[in-house]
């Protein structure tokens, strides 16, 4: 049979857009719609990469780790040809078999069971913070809340020393910017990178971690031989890279969506135990991690197209999460009562976010605290976007809250 090869379309559709320019980062959704309409695989000649924006294709590429590998970097830069800006992550920028034991050790440390033990403490902290903000009445949902809560609870859970924690947000911003092209955002961030990188690297050493946190548990896994002692500080670094900005943006985006949709807030206020569903819907509706790349390890056929080996493929998670083919004709609406599970905001497959349990716990506890105390939340001025080559979120969301 020759039907299989005869259906291969040789010329891929192309789009001239720059997905990393300021306007597209601030509002990517119109571009996403054109990307999905153009086809399952689309050329972006500006960066000489391929792109996928439909749910099914993003999902399939994420799941097929043999073809779409991570070991050559999940940014625009191909580690096979360019030196990475930092030592590659043992989790993110690795493939099986190297990836497998490392992932297993981290999954055990960050398991739902282990994270559940933090719930009461996080709920207490969330309640205290929200009590103070509700008293004020008006505050900034980013700088007074979304940036405050994760920075209060996550470094404590890891066991990071107190001094220098102000480095965590800039370090994350730098790491997530660095997955994109070397534009001004990256150049500026890398100029001030050295002292921040030094602080991060020292913070990963056993002597600088508390005796009980996730950091100490990573070192204990090395003692047990699950990972090596050389790998331990690198895995603490993974927590510090991927665990702060992502949750700050995720909580900020959830608050932005809820403040912009008063009827949705009312539903959450009436039933605060919907907080976890509201967070999933917020992740789908405005995904904090918008994009990352894979690299093809071999010539392959995908959705009727031939893709050559060594191609960078940009996966638009935030677009797949709004694909009308998968989510229906209300895919661009924010609805906390929809079935949002199955979204790809945490990725999919063997690399799916290993920190998901702690990220979800942070979001659920803070949204629950707010939902219980606030009957109405309204914007008092326009929100200000925070531009990043990978993350979508807000620098400022001024709000007023009406307590019960
Ligand atoms: C690390 C792990 C994950 C690390 C893109 C990248 C990441 C989501 C999307 C990420 C970044 C860093 N997460 O292990 O250092």
């Amino acid at each position: 049979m020759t039907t299989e090869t005869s259906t291969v379309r040789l010329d891929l559709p192309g789009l001239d857009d720059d997905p990393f320019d300021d306007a597209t980062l601030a509002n990517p959704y119109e571009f996403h719609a054109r990307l999905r309409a153009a086809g399952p695989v689309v050329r972006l000649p500006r960066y000489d990469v391929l792109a996928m924006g439909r749910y099914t294709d993003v999902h399939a590429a994420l799941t097929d780790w043999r073809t779409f590998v991570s070991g050559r970097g999940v940014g625009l830069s191909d580690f096979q040809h360019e030196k990475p800006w930092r030592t590659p992550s043992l989790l993110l920028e690795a493939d099986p078999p190297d990836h497998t034991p490392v992932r297993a050790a981290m999954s055990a440390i960050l398991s739902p069971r282990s994270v559940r033990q933090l719930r009461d403490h996080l709920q207490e902290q969330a309640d205290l913070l929200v009590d103070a903000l509700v008293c004020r009445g008006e505050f900034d949902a980013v700088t007074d809340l979304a940036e405050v809560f994760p920075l209060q609870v996550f470094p404590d859970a890891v066991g990071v020393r107190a001094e220098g924690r102000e480095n965590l947000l800039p370090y994350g911003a730098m790491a997530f910017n660095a997955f994109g092209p070397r534009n001004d955002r990256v150049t500026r961030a890398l100029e001030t990178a050295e002292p921040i990188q030094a602080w991060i690297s020292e913070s990963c050493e056993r002597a600088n971690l508390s005796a009980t946190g996730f950091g100490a548990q990573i070192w204990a896994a090395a003692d047990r031989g699950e990972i090596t002692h050389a790998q331990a500080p690198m895995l603490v670094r993974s927590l510090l890279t991927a665990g702060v900005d992502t949750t700050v943006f995720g909580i900020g985006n959830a608050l932005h969506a809820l403040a912009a949709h008063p009827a949705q807030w009312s539903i959450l206020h009436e039933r605060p135990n919907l907080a976890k569903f509201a967070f999933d819907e917020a992740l789908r509706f405005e995904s904090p991690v918008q994009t990352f790349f894979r690299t093809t390890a071999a010539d392959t056929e995908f959705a009727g197209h031939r893709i050559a080996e060594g191609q960078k493929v940009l996966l638009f998670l935030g677009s797949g999460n709004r694909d009308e083919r998968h989510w229906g004709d209300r895919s661009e609406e924010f609805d906390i009562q929809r079935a949002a599970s199955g979204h790809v905001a945490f990725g999919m497959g063997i690399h799916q976010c290993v920190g998901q349990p702690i990220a979800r716990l942070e979001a659920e506890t803070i949204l629950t605290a707010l939902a219980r105390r606030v009957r109405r939340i309204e914007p008092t001025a326009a929100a200000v976007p925070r531009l990043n080559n990978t993350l979508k979120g807000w620098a400022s969301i001024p709000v007023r809250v009406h307590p019960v």
Side-chain angles (χ1 to χ4, degrees), residues 55-334:
Y55 178 88
T56 306
D57 304 309
V58 169
H59 190 285
L62 286 172
T63 312
D64 183 2
W65 53 266
R66 291 172 195 275
T67 307
F68 298 95
V69 299
S70 294
R72 290 167 75 165
V74 303
L76 176 60
S77 167
D78 185 343
F79 293 176
Q80 198 153 297
H81 305 300
E82 277 183 282
K83 186 174 145 33
W85 72 282
R86 61 171 201 168
T87 310
S89 161
L90 300 171
L91 276 171
L92 177 76
E93 292 149 340
D95 301 303
D98 301 352
H99 171 264
T100 312
V102 172
R103 168 75 190 207
M106 292 297 276
S107 296
I109 291 165
L110 297 168
S111 72
R113 217 171 67 87
S114 128
V115 165
R116 210 171 298 138
Q117 299 175 354
L118 297 170
R119 178 173 281 273
D120 291 347
H121 171 67
L122 259 68
Q123 193 62 65
E124 226 168 85
Q125 296 288 299
D127 289 343
L128 280 172
L129 175 60
V130 169
D131 278 339
L133 292 173
V134 166
C135 262
R136 278 176 55 187
E138 288 189 23
F139 58 90
D140 192 305
V142 176
T143 56
D144 296 324
L145 205 173
E147 289 182 352
V148 172
F149 186 60
L151 270 174
Q152 209 165 61
V153 298
F154 184 72
D156 277 351
V158 175
V160 179
R161 57 202 165 139
E163 62 281 17
R165 285 185 180 185
E166 69 278 2
N167 289 309
L168 288 167
L169 277 175
Y171 185 71
M174 194 186 331
F176 283 95
N177 271 323
F179 294 122
R182 282 284 166 117
N183 53 19
D184 284 358
R185 262 179 293 284
V186 180
T187 312
R188 264 184 277 119
L190 289 177
E191 273 166 13
T192 54
E194 234 174 80
I196 300 177
Q197 281 191 277
W199 181 85
I200 291 284
S201 134
E202 283 162 28
S203 302
C204 298
E205 290 305 323
R206 193 167 210 169
N208 291 324
L209 291 160
S210 75
T212 57
F214 295 131
Q217 292 177 51
I218 290 172
W219 281 95
D223 293 344
R224 294 192 300 270
E226 297 172 22
I227 54 169
T228 69
H229 285 91
Q231 289 175 324
M234 288 295 294
L235 292 172
V236 181
R237 192 194 70 172
S238 284
L239 295 184
L240 302 187
T241 309
V244 183
D245 297 64
T246 47
T247 49
V248 166
F249 278 62
I251 291 169
N253 290 359
L255 294 172
H256 183 266
L258 287 162
H261 297 85
Q264 295 296 309
W265 182 269
S266 295
I267 294 168
L268 179 59
H269 173 60
E270 290 303 318
R271 296 165 62 192
N273 61 355
L274 291 180
K276 61 185 290 191
F277 301 99
F279 185 56
D280 258 323
E281 171 63 354
L283 289 173
R284 183 200 71 81
F285 179 73
E286 190 150 80
S287 308
V289 177
Q290 283 282 312
T291 51
F292 48 76
F293 293 85
R294 292 292 191 248
T295 315
T296 50
D299 294 346
T300 189
E301 198 193 310
F302 188 93
H305 292 290
R306 281 197 194 126
I307 304 179
E309 181 276 339
Q311 269 289 317
K312 280 286 174 178
V313 182
L314 184 51
L315 305 176
F316 284 81
L317 311 183
S319 169
N321 284 338
R322 284 176 173 233
D323 184 358
E324 51 287 345
R325 291 163 196 78
H326 182 80
W327 302 98
D329 57 8
R330 290 173 53 252
S331 64
E332 312 249 0
E333 283 174 34
F334 178 65

